[in-house]
Amino acid sequence: MNTYTDYIQEIEERKIQGLNPKPIDGAELLSEIISQIKDLNNKDRADSLNFFIYNVVPGTTPAAGVKAKFLKEIILAESVVAEITPAFALELLSHMKGGTSIEVLLDLAVGSDEAIAKEAAAVLKTQVFLYEADTDRLEEAFKNGNPIAAAILESYAKAEFFTKLPEIAEEIKVITYIAGEGDISTDLLSPGNQAHSRSDRELHGKCLISPEAQDEIKALAEANPDKSVMLIAERGTMGVGSSRMSGVNNVALWTGKKASPYVPFINIAPIIAGTNGISPIFLTTVGVTGGIGIDLKNWAKKLDAQGNVVLDEAGEAILEEVYSVATGTVLTINTKTKKLYNGDKELIDISSSLTPQKVEFIKAGGSYAIVFGKKLQTFAAKTLNIDIPQVYAASKEVSIEGQGLTAVEKIFNKNAVGTTPGKVLHAGSDVRVEVNIVGSQDTTGLMTSQELESMAATVISPIVDGAYQSGCHTASVWDNKSKANIPRLMKFMNDFGLITARDPKGEYLAMTDVIHKVLNDLTVDDWAITIGGDSHTRMSKGVAFGADSGTVALALATGEASMPIPQSVKVTFKGEMKEYMDFRDVVHATQSQMLHQFKGDNVFQGRVIEVHIGTLTADQSFTFTDWTAEMKAKASICISEDATLIESLEIAKGRIQIMIDKGMDNKTQVLKGLIAIADKRIAEIKSGEKPALTPDADAKYFAEVVVDLDVIAEPMIADPDVNNIDVSKRYTHDTIRPLSFYGGDKKVDLGFIGSCMVHKGDMKILAQMLKNIDAQEGKVEFKAPLVVAPPTYNIVDELKKEGDWEILQKYSGFEFDDNIPKAIARTSYEKMLYLERPGCNLCMGNQEKAAKGDTVMATSTRLFQGRVVEDSEGKKGESLLSSTPVVVLSTILGRTPTIEEYKSAVKGINLTKFAPPHKQLVR
């Protein structure tokens, strides 16, 4: 056996990087370590004991199974280890969360040794991660008259695993640390280019902000051992962008507290804040770790003597500091008064950060324990045939007599579980809902698998209609990191019950389609709820929520999610699109017009955008729903006409059938089942039994936005505004500028057409523009590289059938080959067209990147600093986001086009058109 020797060698290699030993998750290694513990003369025995006690991953990992069984031997005196008494062995079992540890504890609790049974029962009473196999054993023992089983059930019914936990402190002292000015994206906390290391928590923690920031945070913590370091987004929102558990994990690693003395690198209870609060997805993730997220409101708009907002020369509101949170400021969170103080001075009410439900998360060390605890209490009470004692905070139920329902309120009412029967719920209600579709993406999937292991889940919940594990974020380059991570991820998820982009057995070709596009097809019901491990999980059918890897794991394991019903903002349209405009420009204009209408206040933030799209199919309208992530919305819902929805469902059925034909369905025939759901929904719409989802005519909205198509006179560009003197206004997605702003002379170094924001029509626009330029100029010459990454293979196949792919091939200098995928990411580009593999490509920023300091014109969604392009020493990299025709023309010219050049270039080309519905889409 040499597994241990290899492990020691790895430890020495990690020391060079300043890292501790990697936590053990493999059965073979831990078995060897146990053998060395049993050998009293083994030279490695002391180290082996240390590894066994302090360095094993808990839950359902193979190593956890081996550890639990050895601890059982010690408790039963079948093995004797002087350093691990039976009492200590039980304590170690109590920290293993679930899986084999619960199985062992149940064996002991219902065993013949009464003294051991009582001790095991005392530990079991503290555990919450029990599944059907565990509760079935407990129920059977109870019915057979086992008094220990009865005592455990009585404890569970009282939820003593929660009530006996210490109450949270009345006062929590914090010391502030400004992590950045303006919106802080999760890229700052967990960069996309470090995605490969997310499952190695200590290693990944090294990428938080910067080494200098880490040193500063460490110094603050060491100088203030009685305080928690609170990371702050000054004059911005914390955690915008991707929905990364790794971002919160990194913050917790540096500023939180250990979840268990026997589990390495898993920290909880981070405290974060932002002038404009925390992004909705990130706030959910904070709850997963039992942390606190605070909306500081420490900057406010300056008002004149008449109460009017004072504007600067650019017409934007001037902000004034209400109170200081400069780095090193000591503040107090009072959990009883629910206010934030500086000394004795009250600064702000923070009740929204300390709702009864959030306080429960803090007390329990995270939201998982509450979700599983409630299920366990319900099971116990039912088994004992008693009423459920009121232990947890009652769910808030808001029901307003005579008020209609928005679309999201209708969906939540349909999917709600555990609410008062017959009660109609409105926005603000706390709701537990069944989830229909779940998506896991490949750069957070390993973390999702870890979360599933930690909560001892082994199979997908039967409630879920379908779940998919993507391969798109690592599609561009099949490098050594991908080869190490992706196959084991696909095997885990395939075994768990998901449809996987790559077949662990290699029986079907890898599908690297962008996950959001796949989920958009798998969502075959406009009343469905989707949870996905990415902020762009925003479907054109039903309502979808981007989520962290932990929430995705919870949805996979339980088939449920919990959240308040969000408020909605209604978006409708008037006027007519000009023939030379593209729908992407309507999307950007929506954000621009909304900000203008509400004097700079983003009414979309944290709410559902209910867009009355009417006539665009799910493929085309996805461009709108996708962008709502950048509008900081919690989710979006497309209100479609009946005929349009039917067309979208038929398209989805065809694509699901392609997946079946490729051999991607599993033994439970999930994909076949989704086609049946789509057929049923189509029949309901056609018969009039259940038309397409619409809100009630008397529904109430937080705000209503009417987008005037008549005033959209030229292409619109989302600009990161990298040189804005006000740092807080850089990289915000809120700076939407007309094409003419650039005067036709801004140099463009690279163009990118790809990501989830494009559809088949965009590829056809590209092909037609190249044909036109060739016809007009006699050739196609690129003055800047153009990278093209179709979102799906279906699109490539359809373009091949229709002749458009042949056109793209004609003008390209590189075309992907799935038989020989790239092993090395590009570091430089020639002035030509690159036809890249379907997937995320440049938008993800973890593999391919533009050259440092480039100005990139892209159809992407991401303009964050360092994402698509990093800064060079002499120039800031910038990613300007625009429509496909603007990108194409910019690469042909090597600069931004004038409006005249643009109009000429798109003449006769079928751009993505949109006409508002002719009637109000309400019931």
Side-chain angles (χ1 to χ4, degrees):
M1 298 176 76
N2 59 8
T3 313
Y4 184 78
T5 303
D6 292 343
Y7 185 54
I8 296 302
Q9 183 178 337
E10 181 190 68
I11 289 172
E12 293 305 312
E13 292 168 357
R14 287 173 71 87
K15 279 182 183 177
I16 298 170
Q17 305 174 65
L19 298 171
N20 289 289
K22 196 172 183 178
I24 297 166
D25 58 8
E28 185 179 353
L29 173 58
L30 194 64
S31 296
E32 189 171 349
I33 285 171
I34 290 171
S35 296
Q36 292 173 174
I37 291 171
K38 290 180 177 180
D39 179 2
L40 299 181
N41 298 316
N42 192 288
K43 64 182 177 62
D44 295 313
R45 187 174 182 276
D47 286 341
S48 295
L49 268 167
N50 189 65
F51 291 143
F52 179 83
I53 295 169
Y54 297 105
N55 210 45
V56 177
V57 179
T60 56
T61 63
V66 171
K67 181 173 181 175
K69 287 172 183 174
F70 184 50
L71 291 172
K72 181 182 179 183
E73 290 179 21
I74 292 171
I75 294 164
L76 293 175
E78 295 170 358
S79 290
V80 176
V81 178
E83 296 86 351
I84 305 175
T85 64
F88 186 31
L90 283 165
E91 182 183 350
L92 290 174
L93 281 171
S94 75
H95 286 259
M96 291 182 67
K97 280 194 159 185
T100 309
S101 65
I102 298 295
E103 180 185 334
V104 165
L105 287 167
L106 279 168
D107 289 345
L108 299 171
V110 298
S112 57
D113 190 309
E114 186 177 349
I116 291 176
K118 287 181 178 179
E119 290 171 348
V123 175
L124 265 176
K125 290 174 184 179
T126 67
Q127 304 295 295
V128 293
F129 292 101
L130 276 71
Y131 287 85
E132 281 74 11
D134 305 315
T135 54
D136 286 350
R137 285 186 68 190
L138 203 51
E139 184 176 7
E140 182 182 0
F142 167 70
K143 288 179 177 177
N144 289 335
N146 187 302
I148 297 289
I152 294 170
L153 286 171
E154 287 165 6
S155 177
Y156 285 165
K158 297 173 186 175
E160 289 181 341
F161 43 72
F162 175 72
T163 60
K164 290 190 174 182
L165 293 172
E167 296 299 324
I168 68 172
E170 181 174 345
E171 288 191 344
I172 301 172
K173 297 285 186 181
V174 300
I175 187 161
T176 62
Y177 181 79
I178 303 297
E181 282 195 54
D183 290 347
I184 290 181
S185 79
T186 44
D187 255 19
L188 185 74
L189 309 174
S190 169
N193 61 10
Q194 298 298 311
H196 62 278
S197 68
R198 286 177 185 157
S199 58
D200 185 344
R201 293 200 183 199
E202 187 192 16
L203 173 59
H204 194 67
K206 299 283 188 181
C207 70
L208 176 86
I209 309 176
S210 69
E212 294 76 19
Q214 293 163 20
D215 289 341
E216 291 165 358
I217 292 168
K218 186 177 179 181
L220 276 175
E222 289 177 350
N224 298 273
D226 60 330
K227 303 175 185 69
S228 295
V229 178
M230 179 167 74
L231 258 59
I232 295 173
E234 177 77 315
R235 293 197 295 164
T237 302
M238 175 66 81
V240 298
S242 301
S243 45
R244 293 188 199 143
M245 187 82 195
S246 54
V248 171
N249 283 346
N250 278 352
V251 175
L253 192 65
W254 286 98
T255 69
K257 58 185 180 183
K258 282 180 68 70
S260 163
Y262 309 115
V263 180
F265 311 123
I266 296 180
N267 283 17
I268 59 173
I271 302 175
I272 58 173
T275 292
N276 300 326
I278 318 298
S279 74
I281 300 170
F282 208 63
L283 191 56
T284 300
T285 317
V286 172
V288 168
T289 60
I292 303 174
I294 298 175
D295 187 357
L296 293 171
K297 297 185 176 71
N298 61 312
W299 288 81
K301 292 176 182 177
K302 183 177 181 179
L303 304 177
D304 62 19
Q306 287 73 43
N308 300 313
V309 175
V310 179
L311 305 178
D312 61 17
E313 292 179 358
E316 296 184 352
I318 295 174
L319 299 180
E320 290 185 316
E321 189 177 56
V322 180
Y323 60 92
S324 174
V325 291
T327 293
T329 304
V330 175
L331 303 174
T332 302
I333 297 169
N334 190 300
T335 62
K336 294 290 186 274
T337 63
K338 299 188 178 182
K339 291 176 180 178
L340 183 68
Y341 296 88
N342 187 332
D344 294 331
K345 183 182 178 183
E346 179 185 321
L347 300 177
I348 192 170
D349 184 285
I350 54 171
S351 298
S352 61
S353 302
L354 297 167
T355 63
Q357 288 74 27
K358 290 178 181 178
V359 167
E360 288 177 343
F361 295 166
I362 297 167
K363 177 178 176 177
S367 56
Y368 295 168
I370 298 299
V371 173
F372 278 85
K374 288 179 177 179
K375 290 185 72 172
L376 193 55
Q377 186 192 25
T378 302
F379 152 75
K382 182 179 178 181
T383 303
L384 295 171
N385 196 27
I386 62 173
D387 292 335
I388 301 174
Q390 188 67 45
V391 169
Y392 295 102
S395 292
K396 185 179 178 183
E397 294 189 339
V398 178
S399 186
I400 304 170
E401 188 72 29
Q403 180 176 305
L405 298 174
T406 64
V408 76
E409 288 170 340
K410 286 188 174 184
I411 292 175
F412 269 63
N413 274 277
K414 170 188 172 290
N415 283 42
V417 291
T419 55
T420 302
K423 193 169 187 178
V424 176
L425 302 179
H426 289 88
S429 301
D430 293 318
V431 183
R432 210 168 89 239
V433 290
E434 291 186 351
V435 175
N436 305 97
I437 302 293
V438 184
S440 171
Q441 58 102 323
D442 41 324
T443 53
T444 60
L446 284 170
M447 293 178 61
T448 300
S449 67
Q450 287 180 332
E451 296 292 335
L452 288 167
E453 287 176 330
S454 74
M455 62 178 72
T458 56
V459 66
I460 191 169
S461 168
I463 296 173
V464 177
D465 293 329
Y468 175 71
Q469 172 61 60
S470 80
C472 56
H473 289 68
T474 52
S476 304
V477 183
W478 192 232
D479 55 17
N480 290 334
K481 293 170 184 175
S482 298
K483 290 174 185 176
N485 290 330
I486 302 305
R488 63 191 176 99
L489 168 64
M490 294 297 165
K491 183 179 188 314
F492 180 95
M493 290 302 190
N494 199 282
D495 290 345
F496 198 83
L498 282 74
I499 303 298
T500 49
R502 291 178 181 273
D503 184 4
K505 301 182 184 69
E507 293 176 3
Y508 58 79
L509 290 175
M511 185 174 82
T512 59
D513 293 2
V514 175
I515 180 172
H516 325 302
K517 294 292 190 182
V518 179
L519 292 181
N520 205 36
D521 290 331
L522 298 187
T523 306
V524 288
D525 186 351
D526 51 327
W527 289 76
I529 292 178
T530 299
I531 297 290
D534 195 288
S535 60
H536 289 97
T537 304
R538 289 156 192 267
M539 305 303 104
S540 310
K541 302 181 289 289
V543 64
F545 299 94
D548 59 273
S549 53
T551 302
V552 170
L554 197 63
L556 288 170
T558 67
E560 294 182 3
S562 299
M563 69 184 86
I565 300 178
Q567 293 176 311
S568 294
V569 176
K570 183 178 182 180
V571 174
T572 55
F573 304 87
K574 68 177 183 179
E576 187 175 340
M577 266 184 78
K578 293 173 174 55
E579 62 177 10
Y580 56 84
M581 300 303 293
D582 185 82
F583 184 61
R584 175 72 182 251
D585 301 312
V586 174
V587 174
H588 284 180
T590 299
Q591 185 162 347
S592 179
Q593 290 188 28
M594 176 275 295
L595 290 169
H596 178 75
Q597 182 178 337
F598 291 91
K599 296 181 173 58
D601 286 341
N602 184 357
V603 297
F604 291 151
Q605 183 164 341
R607 300 183 178 92
V608 173
I609 300 178
E610 184 185 285
V611 54
H612 289 235
I613 208 82
T615 56
L616 282 182
T617 62
D619 273 11
Q620 296 167 319
S621 56
F622 187 79
T623 303
F624 190 101
T625 59
D626 199 26
W627 185 255
T628 61
E630 315 315 332
M631 298 180 192
K632 302 179 190 173
K634 188 172 181 68
S636 58
I637 290 182
C638 282
I639 306 301
S640 295
E641 294 180 351
D642 287 355
T644 304
L645 179 57
I646 290 172
E647 183 182 355
S648 295
L649 291 172
E650 291 289 1
I651 292 170
K653 280 175 53 185
R655 290 176 180 164
I656 294 171
Q657 186 60 52
I658 289 170
M659 295 173 73
I660 294 172
D661 295 342
K662 284 184 176 182
M664 296 180 70
D665 214 350
N666 58 17
K667 61 184 178 183
T668 57
Q669 295 190 308
V670 163
L671 296 176
K672 186 177 179 181
L674 290 174
I675 289 180
I677 293 171
D679 283 335
K680 179 176 180 291
R681 187 70 192 102
I682 290 168
E684 290 173 342
I685 298 168
K686 285 182 175 179
S687 68
E689 175 190 346
K690 190 178 179 183
L693 172 68
T694 58
D696 290 331
D698 54 351
K700 186 175 181 181
Y701 297 89
F702 177 82
E704 296 192 29
V705 177
V706 180
V707 181
D708 189 349
L709 301 177
D710 288 333
V711 303
I712 309 173
E714 55 181 305
M716 309 293 285
I717 295 174
D719 192 324
D721 206 10
V722 297
N723 295 310
N724 194 313
I725 193 169
D726 185 344
V727 177
S728 71
K729 293 178 181 176
R730 299 175 188 171
Y731 309 105
T732 67
H733 286 92
D734 288 346
T735 304
I736 307 290
R737 287 172 168 155
L739 182 63
S740 59
F741 174 86
Y742 303 94
D745 58 6
K746 182 176 179 65
K747 186 175 183 290
V748 173
D749 298 299
L750 184 141
F752 172 53
I753 295 174
S755 88
C756 41
M757 285 294 283
V758 297
H759 54 85
K760 177 183 171 183
D762 291 279
M763 300 295 122
K764 295 182 78 70
I765 290 169
L766 166 61
Q768 189 59 51
M769 287 186 74
L770 294 177
K771 279 178 63 178
N772 289 0
I773 291 166
D774 196 354
Q776 293 164 8
E777 305 294 333
K779 62 178 180 178
V780 174
E781 183 178 349
F782 291 94
K783 292 186 178 177
L786 176 58
V787 177
V788 176
T792 69
Y793 282 97
N794 286 337
I795 287 174
V796 175
D797 292 342
E798 290 167 17
L799 292 173
K800 286 178 178 177
K801 287 179 184 177
E802 296 164 16
D804 294 286
W805 192 257
E806 186 178 340
I807 296 169
L808 299 182
Q809 287 175 313
K810 176 182 176 181
Y811 300 111
S812 69
F814 169 85
E815 181 181 0
F816 76 92
D817 182 351
D818 274 333
N819 295 315
I820 316 172
K822 278 184 297 181
I824 301 174
R826 294 191 193 282
T827 56
S828 62
Y829 299 82
E830 297 178 41
K831 293 177 181 178
M832 66 182 194
L833 172 63
Y834 294 82
L835 288 179
E836 296 286 359
R837 196 181 200 187
C840 301
N841 202 272
L842 282 165
C843 186
M844 182 56 201
N846 65 318
Q847 294 183 325
E848 306 282 68
K849 258 185 166 28
K852 290 182 179 180
D854 270 2
T855 291
V856 181
M857 188 69 77
T859 61
S860 175
T861 58
R862 295 308 196 200
L863 49 65
F864 302 133
Q865 186 174 16
R867 180 64 175 263
V868 173
V869 55
E870 295 175 352
D871 296 342
S872 67
E873 285 188 19
K875 183 179 178 295
K876 290 182 179 295
E878 52 185 336
S879 176
L880 289 84
L881 312 181
S882 63
S883 66
T884 292
V886 170
V887 174
V888 177
L889 197 52
S890 295
T891 57
I892 295 294
L893 299 172
R895 59 172 171 79
T896 52
T898 64
I899 185 62
E900 292 75 19
E901 287 171 325
Y902 170 83
K903 287 181 180 179
S904 175
V906 300
K907 197 167 186 179
I909 292 179
N910 184 25
L911 303 176
T912 308
K913 295 287 187 264
F914 168 63
H918 299 298
K919 60 180 181 179
Q920 278 199 322
L921 300 178
V922 295
R923 289 278 181 265

